[in-house]
Amino acid sequence: MQPVPSLSAHQRPSGTHEADLALVRGTLEGEPECVDRFVRRMNCVPLILASQNARLGRALSPVEIQDLAQDVLLTIWKKLDTFAGLSGLETWIYRICCLELLNAIRRQRRGRYLATLDERLTAAPETDHGPDLLEYEHVHRGLERIEPPEADVIRLKHFQGLSFEEIAARLSIPVNTSKTRYYRGLRKLQELLRALEEEER
Amino acid sequence: MSHEQGHEELLERVVAEDLPASDSAVRARLAECAECREVLARMQSVMGKLTRAGELEQAALREVLEQAAREPADAEYEQRIRALVAERSAVQPKPSTTRWLALALAIAAGVVLLGLLYRRLAPARQGEVLLGDDRIVCEQPVGEVAEFGTFTWHFDLPKRGRFELLVWDDATPEGAPLVKRVDLTESRCRPELDDQRKWPERIRWEVRAYDAADRLLQRSELQRAWRSR
């Protein structure tokens, strides 16, 4: 896979993650200006679900995606007070959308027939993004299960593309601590990913 | 220095980009230690997965943001979001609410609090579990304690559900948790005592319950505890 350059500043709707955190807090407090901006930013939810569903060979119908968009909206709303501003708002939303989409597909397939999503995903041709998305899901489920200080360093390193020096500055910790947390986190994540992959078999 | 400690330290330096894998000391270690080779290969595999996941996320986000800039917003969806925000605002009135309403709410809150207090104390006194209760009832540690010790609570967890326990330093409202245990199936958890001794004097904690599909069912109220001096 070719490296993908980072999103440029104008593509990140509000610039810094601190601004996103302030926006979320303002929205939770019902500040009208924040609510307006938040509503506009949340329009990415149906788009993310539709685009990822298309990557998975349109596993869900347009109506099912519309319903899921409502469910995801509620999930995001319930979790909104846990948004810590370590990533951009859309990045945070994207992760929730992907995990909820995969869950919805699994639920739907359980209802219809016995073939699992994972069989379909892993059997998908190389041009299909199924295996990538499944790996993406495993990585995030694994990160949710390790200690937050270690998971934060890993996320900042691989999903925000920060150096250890930048991570240390962002988290107000010594550089060596960021490296140690990264190493410990990777060791735990590696065990969790192995367990998740065995579960899927 | 033991072999175990020595090879972990070297691997950490490689993974943390302090030493290239081509460094002579690293190559010598890898040549003589099969365990080092295996651990490094597994770590590099995980780093590869993380890098691919990061690239997938960035590429997908770029696509979505470009699409969002091109397409008009879904008015119905916007309305739904506004309704959610309005519901929350209705639950949390602004200070401009008239005085009599604030007084009525304060009285109502007092009654509810008394009810909650009664429900919380009653089972603790009788040693009963609140079967069928839809709230998470935290038991200990709460208030002043000699040691934080074992964290206990009550909740009827559905089959294949799980609890999460989160503990924070009470002095840092925005800080990362001191402890986050995510796969608890029993309504108790005892973080390592050695770790507890390093905790600050005052903590706050909460418990979250999830069902088998990893949907959040309940969050407990935030509890505070502090060590007696």
Side-chain angles (χ1 to χ4, degrees):
Chain A
M1 187 182 289
Q2 291 298 311
V4 178
S6 298
L7 296 173
S8 57
H10 75 275
Q11 285 172 308
R12 270 195 209 114
S14 74
T16 65
H17 304 152
E18 288 75 13
D20 284 357
L21 186 58
L23 171 67
V24 165
R25 286 183 179 158
T27 303
L28 289 171
E29 285 163 15
E31 290 172 20
E33 191 194 333
C34 292
V35 171
D36 284 344
R37 280 167 47 214
F38 178 77
V39 168
R40 285 198 296 275
R41 302 275 296 273
M42 288 290 281
N43 269 310
C44 67
V45 171
L47 296 176
I48 292 172
L49 291 171
S51 71
Q52 298 310 297
N53 185 47
R55 281 168 188 261
L56 293 172
R58 306 197 189 284
L60 298 185
S61 71
V63 174
E64 286 169 327
I65 286 292
Q66 271 182 7
D67 290 345
L68 183 61
Q70 302 290 338
D71 294 344
V72 171
L73 184 58
L74 283 173
T75 304
I76 289 170
W77 189 244
K78 277 183 194 164
K79 289 186 173 178
L80 199 56
D81 59 356
T82 67
F83 176 74
L86 287 179
S87 65
L89 183 60
E90 278 79 4
T91 305
W92 185 76
I93 289 171
Y94 175 82
R95 290 170 192 164
I96 295 175
C97 287
C98 284
L99 300 188
E100 291 294 322
L101 174 66
L102 290 168
N103 277 342
I105 297 173
R106 285 197 181 92
R107 282 197 300 273
Q108 180 217 48
R109 287 178 194 284
R110 257 180 232 133
R112 285 187 189 165
Y113 48 85
L114 291 175
T116 64
L117 164 72
D118 312 297
E119 282 166 2
R120 179 193 159 89
L121 289 177
T122 48
E126 279 182 18
T127 50
D128 195 306
H129 290 264
D132 288 347
L133 207 56
L134 193 62
E135 185 174 272
Y136 179 86
E137 181 195 27
H138 284 170
V139 162
H140 279 289
R141 292 227 186 276
L143 284 171
E144 279 173 4
R145 294 183 181 213
I146 64 178
E147 300 290 320
E150 292 163 0
D152 287 346
V153 171
I154 294 175
R155 285 195 187 102
L156 290 171
K157 176 88 182 139
H158 287 278
F159 293 92
Q160 303 299 316
L162 301 189
S163 66
F164 287 112
E165 288 73 17
E166 289 167 327
I167 293 170
R170 174 77 76 88
L171 299 176
S172 306
I173 55 175
V175 175
N176 278 338
T177 305
S178 73
K179 291 179 177 179
T180 302
R181 286 184 186 175
Y182 178 69
Y183 181 73
R184 280 193 205 147
L186 276 188
R187 292 219 66 163
K188 291 177 190 171
L189 186 60
Q190 174 248 314
E191 290 299 328
L192 286 163
L193 289 180
R194 193 154 63 171
L196 276 170
E197 281 159 8
E198 278 169 15
E199 259 179 44
E200 303 285 0
R201 283 185 197 130
Chain B
M1 184 188 292
S2 72
H3 169 78
E4 177 71 18
Q5 192 185 346
H7 85 207
E8 286 293 328
E9 283 174 5
L10 193 72
L11 288 174
E12 182 177 331
R13 292 186 65 197
V14 174
V15 169
E17 301 163 3
D18 282 341
L19 271 180
S22 57
D23 181 87
S24 57
V26 178
R27 284 167 61 191
R29 169 70 75 180
L30 292 176
E32 73 189 26
C33 178
E35 191 184 341
C36 277
R37 286 197 297 276
E38 192 188 327
V39 171
L40 185 60
R42 287 202 307 253
M43 300 283 268
Q44 285 171 335
S45 163
V46 175
M47 289 158 78
K49 287 177 182 179
L50 284 161
T51 301
R52 284 195 295 277
E55 289 169 353
L56 176 76
E57 190 172 277
Q58 292 239 329
L61 270 174
R62 176 188 306 281
E63 191 182 291
V64 165
L65 291 176
E66 283 172 358
Q67 195 184 349
R70 283 195 310 269
E71 292 184 6
D74 180 339
E76 199 180 323
Y77 199 67
E78 280 199 5
Q79 214 166 5
R80 179 80 187 109
I81 304 167
R82 286 186 188 282
L84 275 175
V85 178
E87 275 171 31
R88 185 186 175 101
S89 301
V91 174
Q92 296 180 334
K94 297 254 171 176
S96 61
T97 311
T98 52
R99 193 177 292 174
W100 67 267
L101 183 57
L103 184 63
L105 284 173
I107 293 169
V111 171
V112 170
L113 275 175
L114 280 173
L116 287 174
L117 196 62
Y118 174 77
R119 291 181 74 183
R120 181 170 298 174
L121 290 177
R125 213 171 38 234
Q126 298 158 10
E128 294 170 353
V129 174
L130 286 169
L131 290 173
D133 199 317
D134 60 353
R135 296 171 304 122
I136 299 175
V137 180
C138 294
E139 255 197 347
Q140 61 180 2
V142 175
E144 187 168 325
V145 292
E147 287 295 336
F148 298 126
T150 304
F151 289 69
T152 62
W153 56 92
H154 291 308
F155 186 73
D156 292 336
L157 198 62
K159 198 174 174 188
R160 298 187 65 202
R162 67 181 178 91
F163 289 116
E164 267 185 21
L165 168 68
L166 292 108
V167 182
W168 293 274
D169 177 354
D170 198 27
T172 53
E174 303 299 332
L178 300 163
V179 164
K180 183 177 180 185
R181 296 274 186 269
V182 298
D183 270 329
L184 303 171
T185 52
E186 293 184 357
S187 54
R188 57 190 294 115
C189 175
R190 182 174 180 145
E192 292 291 327
L193 282 177
D194 283 348
D195 290 341
Q196 289 195 28
R197 287 190 192 106
K198 295 172 196 159
W199 290 359
E201 291 302 301
R202 300 179 72 93
I203 59 164
R204 64 184 194 284
W205 61 283
E206 74 171 38
V207 175
R208 299 170 187 173
Y210 293 83
D211 67 10
D214 234 19
R215 284 180 302 231
L216 180 65
L217 296 173
Q218 277 294 320
R219 277 171 83 155
S220 72
E221 288 172 33
L222 209 54
Q223 306 296 321
R224 286 188 163 78
W226 56 91
R227 292 193 192 94
S228 48
R229 291 175 190 273

